[in-house]
Structures are given as C-alpha cells and as structure tokens.
C-alpha cells in the first residue's frame, strides 16, 4: 500500500514537471513594468492589445515603446545599446486603483479587452486537464504491464480469521496438517530437534471441497501471515512478469517468516511443461522454473511453508512433486454423512432456524455434495424463507434449496441418485467381502460410497514402490480377485454391470499381464520375461517395446486371460456363498456411506 502511494506521488511530480516545461517553452514570456511606466507608455500611445484583468494588465509594447521604456530606465536608446535592453514586446503590470483608466483607454483609442479575474482558474484548469490525462494514461499503462499499482495486488497478505471450527468433515486432512501448524507456531523447537519439516504440502480434491478454506484455517490456527495467490495470476501477464512475481513473493514471505505461502489452483502455473498450448508457453515455463528454483532455494527451517491446492493433480508437472517440493499430498475429500451434517451446522450459524429443521436428514439427502454446495443450499433456503416473509427458515425451505442446487448439479452430471448409490454400495461391498475371504488380500481399512476425489481424479494409480516388488504370486492373484469383486457383485445383484468397474478391470488386467510378461509367473510360458522394466501398475507414459514373436504374443494374451478368469471364478464363488453378507454390508453402506475395517468385521462377525 505504501509503495503504491509513493509511486503515485512520483508519477504526479513527473507529470507536473513535464507540463511546466511545456508551458515554459510555448507560453508567452513577458516583462514586468510598473504601473507608472505603463501610464507613461499609454500616454505615448506605445501600448496596444491590452487585456485588462481584475488586478493585472497584460499587453504589448510597440517598438517605440521598447525604446521609451529603456529611456525611462536610463538606458540610451541608440542602435547599439538597444541590443542590450529587453526587447520583449509582451508586458505585465500590476493594476492599481485607477477609476479613470477605461475612459483614458477609450479616449486614446487603444484596443483593449477585459477578462474576469479568473485567469488563474483558467490556468489551473488548463493544467489539470492534460495532467489528469497523463496520469490516467500512466495508470492504465502500468497496470497493464503489472507494475506499480498492480504489483501490490499480485498476492494478498493477510491475517486469516478462519480456524478449524469453521471447517467440517475434513478431520483426516486436519490431523495431517497439525504438524505443519505446530511447526509454524514454534519453529525454533523444531529447528533444535533437527526434524525435517515439509516444505510444500499439496491439497488435492474436487472443487468446492474446502481446500482454500483449509489453507486459510492452517494460517488461522498457526496465527501466522498468509500470502495467497492464484495460479492464474502468475501467468496472465506479459513475458517475464510471472517469474518476477514469484521472486517478489518469496522475498516478501521470507521477511515475514514464520508464514504461509498459498498458491491456489496451482495447476494453472504448474501444468506439465512442453504442453500443447503454444501461446504463452514460454512465459509459463519461465514462471514454473522460477517457482521451482525458489522452492529449492529457500530454507524450510526458516519457517516458510508452501501450501498449494489443485483439483487436477494429474496434469501437474512431475518436477513440482519431487522431494523437497510439494512432496506431501493431502486429500481433501467430499464430506461423508456426518461431515455434511456438520457443514450444514456451520453455515447455519447465523440463520434463524425453525424447530423442524433436521441437519441429519438434510445430510442424508445430499450425498456426494461438497461444502461449497451445502453452503449454497443454506443460502438458497434463507432467501426462499425471506421471500415468503417467514420468521425462520423451515425444513421445507432447505428441501427446496437442495432441489435447486441439485438441479444445477444434475446438469453437470455431478450428483449421485439413489439408484447409483445402491449400485456403488453393492460394488464396494463386493470388493470388501472378497478381500475379507482371501488369505493373501490386503486387509480392508475403509469402505466408502462417496465419490472419492482421489479416484475420480485418477490418483490412486501410483502405489508405494516398496510394496510392488515384494508381492508373491498368490498375493497378486488375490489382488485381481478383489478388484473383480465389485463387478461380480453388481452382476449377482442387478444382473448387469455398470461402468463403475472400468478402473478395476484396467488394474486387474495390468497385474495379470505383468505376472505373465515380466515376472515369469505363467506355467505355460515358463520363467521368461518378455519385457524389461514394465511397470506393475498403470503408467500412462509406458509404451511397450515388443521383443517377441506374434505367436508368443498370442500365447501371452491367452495366459493373461486365463489368470483373470481363474481369479474371476474364485471371487464369484465367494460372493455367491456370502450373498447375505453382501446385502448386509451394502445396506449399512447405503445408510452410513462409510465403514472402517473394524466395523465391517463386527458386522460380519469375522
Ligand atoms: P475449494 O478451494 O476446494 O474449491 P473452497 O475452500 O473455496 O473450496 O470452498 C468454498 C466454500 O465452501 C468455503 O468458503 C466454505 O464456505 C464452503 N466449504 C467448503 N468446504 C467446506 C467444509 N469442509 N466445511 C465448511 N465449509 C466448507
Ligand atoms: Mg479454492
Ligand atoms: Zn471398484
């Protein structure tokens, strides 16, 4: 702010100087003469073209007038010394009380005109107009290139007054952020212990799930300054400005440590380099490179923590996610039933509610909705109640609010309808029961029928490398069976399958293929590997290099098919046998939306 004012002052001063210089050159210079000199010259008829102001007279001297004036001032008007006297024709004199002046002018037949005393007003106006034009032009110019006034608005530095009580349904994410908050509160304690503090934390989740809110809450809880900037603000400017902004941001933040730098919608600046967009690609790369450089350069121990948010992690440049950069990822998921109930509560804090309002019921009828949508519903409900002149917002207003918001979402295909909910419940129950029944399958930690930001975003693909190469053949087979369990459950219950299994099938096929082609786990083809370095799980960048015959290729396909079919039969047997368990789990899921492993075991009595 201070910078801005200084800048404006400088600019005005410069503009005035320009105008003064302009006036000096083009304006008419004049010499001052005394009133008595004026009267004498007038009598000699040596003045002409008079302009009479209230307190001043301007006019021109004749050539004789110049000589006469020189004589009056004691200079000989011979041809030589006249060179030395003022040859200026224009003169100004201060007017003295002289009531008969006009009569005299008339009598002598001197041409004169009078102007009101607002001469100075005219002068000022004639300055102000061009000056304002200059200043305005300057503003627009500098604003465009992102300098001056715009520079201070490139990021917002503020104290956050959001805290965890303003956020609901994100307990897991909050828990993971506690360490960061502790560090920001007392950096010294952590520095003494020499612990490694994350430099960058990436919040990943669907739009409206509360990523921005959570980042603000971290700043509020830690009570530190919060520098926030949106990714697109980095890149929209002319060349070089984005990179300069990044530098500026880090320099400012370091002075304020401990503090938080928050880059919202980082995908705008952090999307993979060498992408398809040609315009501004270079600028974008410069900005991203600068961001990476700054992140590497700053010392996390000083107490600057970077937070970033995105709903499209898959398009981020991998370099951003490397260790020492945004290496910690926190999922900000859609809220579950209980979370939604709490969010209704938070957003109704300042709403007068009728006695019949039941947040539990409202939460139950908004599966899949995110916090932003719930906030929207409360808002709609309050507006509806106000329009009907009600004293308090009633349940019916909320229900109508839900319908309105849902209608908007349905258009965008974002809402789960009850039928879908049932399908997803049986699908997930299928995975869980197969998993529980197989000795080598991973234990079930959590089942949820809320569309997970993480899988909807294609984020679960990369599993920790430690696990990958330690898997045994039977573990892999059981994994395939578990993956198929979702689809088989749908088949058994509904007699047809949905698109819900696409990823499961991809993953299952991929595992089977790796078993045959990479790990030599096929009896038919023997312990041979057909591809080097084939990743076990999906990797979109992988394009196979075939080093085998067409005949072998057919055998490979056949073996992959065999493995998947065996796993399929195994899973189907399990689910047919435990059909009643399938119903029980699905019913609980439809009601509660989430179950953890222990609840599942309790329900099934394992
Ligand atoms: P995102 O950044 O993930 O797109 P925002 O944080 O901008 O979402 O959320 C928009 C608004 O929705 C918030 O300001 C808040 O009012 C509401 N909201 C979203 N998630 C939550 C939540 N978990 N708890 C409370 N309010 C929420
Ligand atoms: Mg946001
Ligand atoms: Zn599945």
């Amino acid at each position: 702010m201070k910078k801005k004012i200084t800048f404006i002052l400088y600019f005005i001063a410069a503009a005035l100087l320009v105008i003064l210089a302009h006036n000096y050159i083009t304006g008419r210079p004049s010499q001052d003469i005394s009133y008595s000199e004026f009267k004498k010259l007038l009598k000699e008829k040596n003045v002409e073209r008079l302009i009479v102001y209230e307190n001043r007279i301007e006019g021109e001297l004749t050539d004789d007038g110049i000589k006469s004036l020189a004589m009056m001032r004691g200079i000989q008007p011979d041809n030589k010394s006249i060179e030395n006297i003022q040859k200026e024709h224009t003169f100004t004199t201060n007017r003295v009380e002289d009531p008969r002046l006009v009569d005299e002018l008339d009598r002598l037949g001197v041409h004169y005109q009078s102007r009101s005393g607002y001469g100075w007003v005219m002068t000022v106006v004639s300055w102000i107009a061009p000056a304002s034009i200059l200043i305005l032009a300057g503003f627009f110019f500098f604003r465009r290139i992102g300098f001056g006034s715009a520079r201070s608005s490139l990021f917002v530095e503020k104290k956050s007054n959001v805290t965890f009580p303003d956020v609901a349904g994100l307990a897991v994410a909050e828990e993971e952020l506690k360490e960061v908050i502790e560090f920001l509160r007392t950096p010294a304690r952590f520095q003494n212990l020499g612990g490694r503090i994350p430099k960058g934390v990436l919040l990943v989740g669907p739009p409206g799930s509360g990523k921005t809110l959570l980042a603000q809450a971290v700043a509020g809880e830690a009570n530190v300054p919060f520098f926030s900037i949106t990714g697109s603000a980095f890149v929209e400017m002319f060349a070089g400005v984005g990179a300069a902004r990044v530098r500026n941001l880090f320099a400012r933040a370091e002075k304020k440590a401990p503090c938080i730098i928050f880059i919202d919608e980082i995908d705008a600046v952090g999307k993979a380099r060498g992408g398809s967009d040609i315009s501004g690609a270079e600028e974008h790369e410069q900005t991203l490179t600068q961001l990476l450089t700054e992140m590497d350069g700053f010392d996390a121990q000083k107490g600057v923590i970077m937070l970033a948010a995105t709903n499209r992690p898959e398009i981020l440049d991998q370099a951003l996610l490397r260790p020492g950069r945004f290496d910690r990822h926190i999922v900000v998921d859609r809220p579950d039933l209980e979370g939604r109930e709490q969010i209704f509560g938070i957003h109704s804090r300042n709403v007068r509610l009728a006695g019949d309002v039941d947040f539990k019921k409202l939460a139950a009828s908004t599966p899949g909705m995110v916090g932003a949508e719930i906030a929207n519903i409360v808002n709609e409900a309050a507006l509806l109640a106000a329009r009907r002149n009600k004293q308090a917002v009633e349940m019916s207003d909320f229900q109508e609010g839900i319908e309105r918001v849902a209608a908007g979402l349905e258009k965008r295909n974002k809402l789960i309808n009850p039928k879908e909910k049932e399908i997803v419940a049986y699908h997930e129950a299928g995975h869980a029961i197969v998993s529980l029944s197989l000795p080598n399958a991973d234990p079930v930690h959590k089942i949820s029928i809320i569309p997970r930001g993480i899988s909807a975003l294609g984020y679960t693909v990369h599993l920790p490398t430690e696990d990958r190469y330690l898997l045994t053949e039977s573990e892999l087979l059981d994994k395939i069976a578990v993956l198929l369990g979702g689809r088989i459950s749908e088949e058994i219950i509904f007699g047809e399958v949905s698109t819900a299994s696409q990823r499961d099938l991809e993953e299952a096929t991929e595992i089977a293929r790796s078993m045959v082609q990479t790990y030599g786990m096929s009896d038919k083809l023997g312990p041979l590997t057909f591809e080097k370095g084939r990743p076990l799980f999906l990797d979109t960048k992988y394009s196979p290099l075939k080093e085998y015959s067409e005949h072998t290729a057919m055998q490979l396909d056949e073996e992959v098919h065999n493995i998947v079919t065996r796993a399929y039969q195994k899973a189907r047997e399990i689910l047919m046998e435990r059909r009643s368990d399938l119903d029980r789990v699905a019913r609980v899921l439809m009601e509660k939306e989430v179950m953890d492993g222990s609840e599942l075991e309790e329900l099934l009595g394992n």
Side-chain angles (χ1 to χ4, degrees):
M1 200 57 207
K2 209 169 158 195
K3 237 183 182 159
K4 191 171 175 176
I5 290 170
T6 326
F7 176 74
I8 293 173
L9 287 180
Y10 271 129
F11 194 82
I12 291 176
L16 286 182
L17 266 177
V18 168
I19 293 161
L20 272 178
H22 174 262
N23 256 335
Y24 186 73
I25 294 160
T26 61
R28 300 182 309 174
S30 70
Q31 54 178 325
D32 287 313
I33 62 174
S34 69
Y35 196 69
S36 55
E37 285 170 335
F38 168 70
K39 285 299 276 251
K40 272 192 200 133
L41 291 163
L42 177 63
K43 286 198 180 97
E44 298 163 3
K45 289 199 182 184
N46 276 333
V47 292
E48 47 190 25
R49 277 190 277 252
L50 297 182
I51 303 171
V52 182
Y53 295 97
E54 243 164 37
N55 47 15
R56 181 166 58 93
I57 299 170
E58 282 175 3
E60 275 173 30
L61 297 172
T62 60
D63 287 345
D64 283 348
I66 288 175
K67 285 179 200 156
S68 168
L69 181 63
M71 256 173 13
M72 277 181 240
R73 290 178 173 180
I75 300 166
Q76 286 303 314
D78 58 55
N79 280 343
K80 258 188 191 164
S81 52
I82 193 137
E83 302 290 325
N84 300 326
I85 68 162
Q86 258 288 19
K87 283 201 296 186
E88 188 54 63
H89 285 79
T90 322
F91 71 86
T92 309
T93 184
N94 284 326
R95 204 175 154 182
V96 292
E97 196 57 29
D98 187 354
R100 291 197 326 264
L101 176 67
V102 173
D103 290 344
E104 210 171 340
L105 291 176
D106 285 340
R107 187 165 46 82
L108 294 166
V110 179
H111 176 86
Y112 70 93
Q113 64 183 105
S114 110
R115 275 199 199 145
S116 74
Y118 294 118
W120 62 273
V121 174
M122 291 304 294
T123 322
V124 171
V125 167
S126 70
W127 279 22
I128 283 175
S132 347
I133 289 170
L134 260 173
I135 288 170
L136 279 178
F139 267 179
F140 281 119
F141 178 67
F142 285 126
R143 168 154 286 160
R144 280 211 66 118
I145 66 162
F147 186 69
S149 65
R151 166 174 278 184
S152 48
S153 63
L154 89 103
F155 48 77
V156 189
E157 180 198 344
K158 61 172 184 208
K159 279 257 167 236
S160 168
N161 45 23
V162 178
T163 51
F164 279 161
D166 299 313
V167 185
L170 297 175
V172 178
E174 283 175 19
E175 195 56 43
E176 288 189 62
L177 285 163
K178 285 233 165 82
E179 188 194 6
V180 169
I181 294 166
E182 280 304 314
F183 168 69
L184 288 168
R185 277 189 191 147
T186 50
R189 218 180 71 205
F190 282 74
Q191 281 149 12
N192 294 341
L193 293 171
R196 203 184 79 85
I197 289 301
K199 260 186 191 179
V201 177
L202 183 65
L203 305 175
V204 180
S209 57
K211 299 180 292 298
T212 309
L213 188 72
L214 193 60
Q216 287 167 342
V218 171
E221 288 286 331
N223 196 22
V224 296
F226 183 70
F227 290 87
S228 90
I229 181 165
T230 309
S232 54
F234 272 136
V235 286
E236 70 197 3
M237 291 294 167
F238 292 140
V241 178
R245 289 182 158 201
V246 175
R247 236 175 289 130
N248 188 312
L249 175 62
F250 276 82
R252 289 266 304 264
E254 223 161 290
K255 281 187 206 128
K256 290 281 175 96
C259 67
I260 289 175
I261 297 178
F262 176 55
I263 305 182
D264 209 349
E265 289 154 37
I266 192 172
D267 35 286
V269 60
K271 60 176 176 266
R273 286 168 286 191
S276 56
D277 77 311
I278 295 157
S279 73
E282 200 176 310
E283 162 67 358
H284 161 228
E285 276 187 28
Q286 263 185 25
T287 308
L288 179 54
T289 308
Q290 188 67 38
L291 182 63
L292 296 175
T293 312
E294 294 288 345
M295 280 201 84
D296 292 342
F298 89 83
D299 183 2
Q301 301 293 340
K302 281 197 190 128
V304 181
I305 297 263
M306 303 261 325
L307 294 182
T310 183
N311 48 26
R312 302 162 74 195
E314 72 281 3
I315 67 163
L316 288 184
D317 197 302
Q318 287 302 310
L320 264 175
L321 308 177
R322 286 207 192 108
R325 293 171 183 161
F326 289 103
D327 50 4
R328 193 171 297 188
H329 303 167
I330 295 182
V331 177
V332 180
D333 237 335
R334 289 174 200 271
D336 60 13
L337 192 70
E338 203 185 320
R340 293 200 299 274
E341 184 184 337
Q342 287 164 7
I343 297 174
F344 269 109
I346 287 174
H347 288 279
S348 302
R349 279 193 294 219
N350 300 318
V351 174
R352 194 184 300 156
L353 298 171
D356 66 340
V357 174
D358 182 348
F359 291 150
K360 251 198 179 66
K361 277 192 196 146
L362 292 173
S365 45
T366 48
M369 285 201 186
V370 291
E373 284 147 12
I374 293 172
N376 212 348
I377 290 171
V378 175
N379 202 33
E380 286 281 343
L383 286 175
L384 286 166
R387 210 173 295 153
R388 289 164 191 163
N389 295 319
K390 289 185 189 170
Q391 295 301 310
V393 185
E394 293 166 9
M395 194 65 174
S396 61
D397 301 315
F398 275 102
Q399 269 146 1
E400 208 173 324
I402 291 176
E403 275 162 33
R404 288 186 175 203
V405 172
L409 295 176
E410 243 157 44
K411 273 190 212 132
R412 283 174 276 146
N413 261 333
K414 274 178 62 185
L415 201 69
I416 331 170
N417 64 39
K419 180 69 189 167
E420 282 171 337
K421 198 171 165 180
E422 196 185 355
I423 294 174
V424 177
Y426 271 102
H427 178 103
E428 296 305 326
H431 285 310
I433 288 173
V434 174
S435 173
L436 279 177
S437 313
L438 289 171
N440 297 307
D442 289 332
V444 178
H445 287 302
K446 187 180 166 187
I447 334 173
S448 161
I449 60 165
I450 302 168
R452 294 205 27 125
I454 196 166
S455 60
L457 296 164
Y459 208 67
T460 42
V461 176
H462 303 278
L463 295 180
T465 38
E466 293 92 67
D467 294 345
R468 275 190 202 171
Y469 301 104
L470 296 175
L471 295 170
T472 64
E473 189 178 343
S474 46
E475 279 169 336
L476 288 171
L477 281 171
D478 284 1
K479 229 178 175 47
I480 297 174
V482 170
L483 284 165
L484 296 173
R487 177 192 165 100
I488 296 168
S489 172
E490 287 181 48
E491 268 173 21
I492 294 173
I493 305 298
F494 304 104
E496 61 173 359
V497 293
S498 73
T499 53
S501 311
Q502 187 217 340
R503 294 206 79 88
D504 298 336
L505 297 184
E506 274 176 30
E507 208 175 318
T509 313
E510 197 61 24
I511 293 172
R513 196 162 279 281
S514 297
M515 289 172 73
V516 177
Q517 292 189 192
T518 312
Y519 300 107
M521 289 175 179
S522 152
D523 292 340
K524 205 168 177 184
L525 289 154
L528 291 177
T529 187
F530 295 89
E531 270 166 317
K532 282 180 211 135
R534 183 186 179 86
L536 178 48
F537 296 110
L538 283 186
D539 187 334
T540 46
K541 287 187 199 82
Y542 175 76
S543 53
L545 187 75
K546 291 191 175 169
E547 290 177 348
Y548 43 80
S549 68
E550 279 303 309
H551 176 68
T552 309
M554 276 169 66
Q555 283 185 310
L556 289 171
D557 290 344
E558 211 172 289
E559 269 302 276
V560 171
H561 192 261
N562 283 343
I563 288 181
V564 175
T565 310
R566 260 187 305 170
Y568 179 90
Q569 260 139 20
K570 203 190 225 172
R572 194 173 167 93
E573 268 167 40
I574 293 168
L575 289 177
M576 289 298 275
E577 202 170 296
R578 300 187 70 172
R579 163 84 210 235
S580 59
D581 286 344
L582 204 52
D583 288 330
R584 280 155 78 192
V585 175
R587 223 172 292 130
V588 175
L589 272 179
M590 276 186 275
E591 189 186 313
K592 286 182 55 189
E593 297 180 2
V594 274
M595 282 174 91
D596 61 25
S598 56
E599 285 175 289
L600 184 70
E601 282 180 19
E602 212 172 287
L603 179 73
L604 300 180
N606 278 50

